[in-house]
Amino acid sequence: MKKSERAFWILFSIGAVIGVLSIIWRFSAGETETNLSSTIPWGIWVAFYTYFIGLSIGLFLYSTLIYVFGVQKLEKTGRLALLSSVFSLVAGMLFIWIDLGHPERFWRIFTNWNYTSVLAWETLFYLFYVLALLASLWFLMRCDLADMADNSIGLRKSIYKILSLNFRCPKSESEYNKCHTSSLKTIKVLGIIGIPAAIGAAGLGGALFAVVAAKPFWFSATVPFVFLVSALAAGTGIIVFLYSFLGESKDKHYADVVKTVSTFMIVFILLIPIMLFFEALIGLYSGVPERAEVFRKILFGPFPYTFWFGQLLLGTIIPVLIYVFRRNDPTWLGLAGLSAVIGLVTVRLNLVIPAFVIPPISGLDQAYFDKRWNYFYFPSAFEWITTIFPIALFVFLFALAYKLLPMVEELGMKFKGGSER
């Protein structure tokens, strides 16, 4: 094992342990250690929930380019996209559970169904999306998982057997080809079902904010589109980053794949500031106090660096400049993807939190003084710890899954190599 790889595993193993402890801490301490208040009930956890769910949806929609629309040149990134999507989904669910505090009650939304609730419909779309995502990944890996179950021993054999759901491994090249073709057809159907489910989940996630008439900053038809486009930008960004560093660089299509996905990423990245520019222009020009003041807070304080440094520099300018000047270098494009993935977090922070910092009635912030009644928010140390280390936990789990699961068509390559059994 290389020194850098050993350092990665040590660092993220420690981070994962602290991540588990921090989650336990959150559920034992409640929200008493947070800086959330009656006036600002949504903070960093909700922002990261929207980010990771968007990331998952963006990755799934990216995978449909391959398995539904037949962009074969990107096929080597397909398993990576679906696996990353699953872990992003679970991370997003964890953050909303951390915020809500009672994950065991999630099923009540189905037993107390309210058809007028945007949240209820969003949850229903999530259900179809999750099923399509998990089934797609399983069908894509089932032949390899069955083969690994047959050829492993001990704990690994048991794990692969469970993951393969006792699927029978093809014993000849013709059986494998038939099975693989059947899997791809099923994945295409799942993708066709999953596309409206994913778009619906992303759009309704944005609609949860857009229908709140009491918050003029959110009350706009473009918010669901910002959610969807930033999800696609983050999804393609993480693929560019991961494939540029984990992909087989000696493959003759490697550089072309990284460049192609980077082109998609740049298109989506450029759409975000265009939409936000017109939103800000309308908000400032209209002069509606609650709307215009939120834009001024984002641009000029108290935390203007989240926009200028995070959203604009990391999330837009650096990826675009790298693409313009270094688009033939996969390593630089990978760094552009990483910059975009980090920078796009601030898009969600600037969407979720600033809407709360302006009192709905002028002078309300001076009418009553209490630490739980103010219009200023910065995450507490508790919130940072319960955000950063759970992310480290998911990076660790994703790396472990990437190491153990079949990320390429191993059985197919085995048959093509002439080792038919």
Side-chain angles (χ1 to χ4, degrees):
M1 185 183 290
K2 294 179 182 177
K3 284 184 179 178
S4 58
E5 190 177 349
R6 188 182 298 116
F8 170 87
W9 285 111
I10 292 172
L11 182 65
F12 279 92
S13 297
I14 295 170
V17 172
I18 299 175
V20 172
L21 295 175
S22 71
I23 294 167
I24 296 171
W25 185 23
R26 158 62 184 96
F27 287 111
S28 61
E31 293 190 352
T32 56
E33 303 293 330
T34 72
N35 282 340
L36 297 172
S37 61
S38 299
T39 50
I40 304 181
W42 291 354
I44 192 171
W45 293 330
V46 172
F48 272 90
Y49 151 68
T50 63
Y51 176 75
F52 277 108
I53 290 297
L55 185 59
S56 173
I57 289 172
L59 285 161
F60 177 80
L61 291 175
Y62 167 80
S63 76
T64 63
L65 280 176
I66 304 164
Y67 302 114
V68 175
F69 299 104
V71 184
Q72 296 299 320
K73 67 188 293 185
L74 303 178
E75 189 173 2
K76 291 182 179 176
T77 62
R79 296 189 185 202
L80 183 63
L82 288 174
L83 184 67
S84 307
S85 180
V86 170
F87 278 89
S88 300
L89 175 71
V90 179
M93 289 293 112
L94 176 68
F95 274 113
I96 198 61
W97 284 347
I98 285 176
D99 180 78
L100 295 174
H102 285 284
E104 76 282 1
R105 297 178 184 172
F106 79 94
W107 54 272
R108 292 190 180 183
I109 198 165
F110 297 108
T111 57
N112 298 281
W113 182 257
N114 180 358
Y115 71 91
T116 63
S117 166
V118 175
L119 181 61
W121 285 105
E122 183 196 21
T123 307
L124 187 63
F125 274 91
Y126 272 143
L127 188 62
F128 285 106
Y129 166 66
V130 170
L131 292 175
L133 171 61
L134 294 177
S136 297
L137 185 60
W138 183 80
F139 274 98
L140 197 58
M141 291 186 171
R142 62 177 182 171
C143 292
D144 291 308
L145 287 170
D147 180 59
M148 294 168 85
D150 288 347
N151 294 286
S152 301
I153 58 172
L155 181 61
R156 282 198 178 197
K157 185 178 183 69
S158 301
I159 292 173
Y160 291 134
K161 201 170 181 179
I162 292 170
L163 292 176
S164 68
L165 303 178
N166 273 330
F167 181 71
R168 180 177 169 272
C169 177
K171 299 299 181 184
S172 67
E173 185 172 4
S174 58
E175 279 186 21
Y176 171 77
N177 289 335
K178 187 177 177 182
C179 177
H180 186 60
T181 303
S182 170
S183 295
L184 290 180
K185 285 181 180 176
T186 306
I187 293 166
K188 184 173 183 176
V189 173
L190 290 168
I192 292 169
I193 296 170
I195 289 172
I199 292 175
L204 288 169
L208 276 176
F209 293 82
V211 298
V212 182
K215 297 291 181 187
F217 177 65
W218 292 337
F219 195 54
S220 167
T222 63
V223 172
F225 291 101
V226 172
F227 268 64
L228 183 59
V229 174
S230 61
L232 292 167
T236 49
I238 195 73
I239 286 295
V240 171
F241 169 64
L242 290 175
Y243 190 72
S244 65
F245 290 100
L246 298 176
E248 181 52 64
S249 59
K250 293 180 181 176
D251 186 287
K252 62 181 179 182
H253 302 297
Y254 166 76
D256 187 39
V257 169
V258 176
K259 188 176 175 180
T260 302
V261 185
S262 299
T263 304
F264 283 114
M265 175 187 74
I266 293 299
V267 170
F268 295 130
I269 280 176
L270 288 176
L271 287 174
I272 298 170
I274 292 172
M275 288 190 288
L276 294 180
F277 169 76
F278 284 109
E279 272 294 309
L281 183 66
I282 294 168
L284 292 169
Y285 186 78
S286 66
V288 176
E290 296 85 355
R291 189 173 172 82
E293 192 58 30
V294 172
F295 282 110
R296 290 193 186 95
K297 291 284 186 184
I298 292 173
L299 295 174
F300 306 114
F303 309 111
Y305 49 81
T306 57
F307 176 78
W308 297 106
F309 180 76
Q311 188 168 332
L312 198 60
L313 184 63
L314 288 179
T316 307
I317 294 175
I318 289 178
V320 171
L321 288 178
I322 290 177
Y323 182 80
V324 170
F325 294 106
R326 294 280 187 173
R327 61 177 171 273
N328 293 318
D329 186 331
T331 303
W332 274 102
L333 289 176
L335 293 174
L338 177 63
S339 179
V341 168
I342 295 172
L344 288 169
V345 173
T346 58
V347 174
R348 303 305 177 123
L349 288 170
N350 282 331
L351 269 171
V352 173
I353 299 171
F356 289 108
V357 301
I358 305 300
I361 301 173
S362 179
L364 188 61
D365 53 330
Q366 302 296 320
Y368 179 71
F369 294 96
D370 187 275
K371 68 176 183 178
R372 293 295 179 189
W373 186 271
N374 65 73
Y375 288 87
F376 177 85
Y377 171 77
F378 187 81
S380 67
F382 173 74
E383 288 172 89
W384 284 116
I385 290 170
T386 52
T387 300
I388 293 171
F389 289 105
I391 292 174
L393 170 64
F394 279 100
V395 172
F396 173 81
L397 293 174
F398 170 77
L400 197 62
Y402 184 86
K403 194 176 181 65
L404 295 176
L405 293 177
M407 298 307 296
V408 294
E409 292 176 29
E410 295 179 1
L411 190 56
M413 289 193 293
K414 190 186 292 185
F415 285 132
K416 287 174 185 174
S419 58
E420 182 172 321
R421 293 169 297 173

